[in-house]
Amino acid sequence: MFRRLLRVVLTVAMVASASLAVTVTTAGTARADGCYTWNRTLSQGASGEDVRQLQIRVSGYPGYGNVLAIDGEYGPATAAAVTRFQEAYGLSADGIAGPETFNQIYALQDDDCTPVHFTYPELNTCNSDWSGGAVSAAAARENALINMWKLEALRHALGDSPINVSSAFRSYSCNSAVGGASDSRHLYGAAVDLVGSHSFCTLALQARYHGFNGILGPGYPGHDDHTHVDTRASRYWSAPTCGI
């Protein structure tokens, strides 16, 4: 808890410093991090694992109706996502990921690479080892991590008010027990059911901007008491009560 509070304080301090243009990040250095440390500035044309790690962190900023590919290639879509991330946190918005951007990411993540407001246990409502689903445990866990960063972006866009998860990864047995669809994205670790301080329609409408091409909410059968978001191959949005 102390470490999370410290990270929040650091985030506020960095945003304030950026507006005064006197922060250490302008000197061209970024601190090391317990999760992952970037060792070079990244821009269009770069490729590699460091680009892929960056894409995971900015996957919640692809723009309306879009999904950012996590492919390790720094193209125009990644540059645009980085720009939106920078704008969201009051940084210099140039689409280039350097020390200022990396320090903001470091302030937003815990040492297991999850964003500070979400955890692996929250995204696993079935069994702790992530097994028994439609993909390997490692794949389900990574899908959940990507969704956590999208949720962090959604949360920030909604004023940093809490968003609660009522269901996420499920094994086949858990999915069957709750009456889930046989092809549910929950089986892949790629779906999250949301409740919380915001209306379900607010969650569904805002999710359109944060990389979720599956959105089901009020008015869709069985979804009047939560908003479902997921990552899937093609867009399917349906929340008739909300105008989607």
Side-chain angles (χ1 to χ4, degrees), residues 120-134:
Y120 280 118
E122 285 180 275
L123 271 287
N124 187 334
T125 51
C126 180
N127 56 339
S128 60
D129 65 3
W130 300 85
S131 65

Side-chain angles (χ1 to χ4, degrees), residues 39-43 46 96-99 102:
N39 295 310
R40 59 170 178 160
T41 295
L42 299 173
S43 59
I96 297 171
F102 297 139

Side-chain angles (χ1 to χ4, degrees), residues 14 27 41-42 46 65 78 98 110 139 141 156 166 171 182 194 218 231:
M14 282 188 292
T41 295
L42 299 173
T78 298
D110 282 328
R141 185 179 169 91
H156 186 61
S166 61
S171 67
S182 61
L194 304 176
T231 303

Side-chain angles (χ1 to χ4, degrees), residues 107-120:
L108 287 171
Q109 70 183 8
D110 282 328
D111 286 348
D112 63 355
C113 298
T114 60
V116 292
H117 297 108
F118 298 93
T119 66
Y120 280 118

Side-chain angles (χ1 to χ4, degrees), residues 77-161:
T78 298
V82 169
T83 298
R84 293 185 191 96
F85 173 86
Q86 292 166 333
E87 290 172 342
Y89 286 96
L91 310 179
S92 300
D94 56 8
I96 297 171
E100 185 181 46
T101 299
F102 297 139
N103 279 337
Q104 181 63 65
I105 292 173
Y106 296 153
L108 287 171
Q109 70 183 8
D110 282 328
D111 286 348
D112 63 355
C113 298
T114 60
V116 292
H117 297 108
F118 298 93
T119 66
Y120 280 118
E122 285 180 275
L123 271 287
N124 187 334
T125 51
C126 180
N127 56 339
S128 60
D129 65 3
W130 300 85
S131 65
V135 294
S136 69
R141 185 179 169 91
E142 173 146 314
N143 288 339
L145 177 64
I146 294 169
N147 271 349
M148 278 188 266
W149 281 99
K150 294 180 180 183
L151 292 175
E152 186 71 24
L154 173 61
R155 187 185 191 279
H156 186 61
L158 293 174
D160 285 313
S161 297

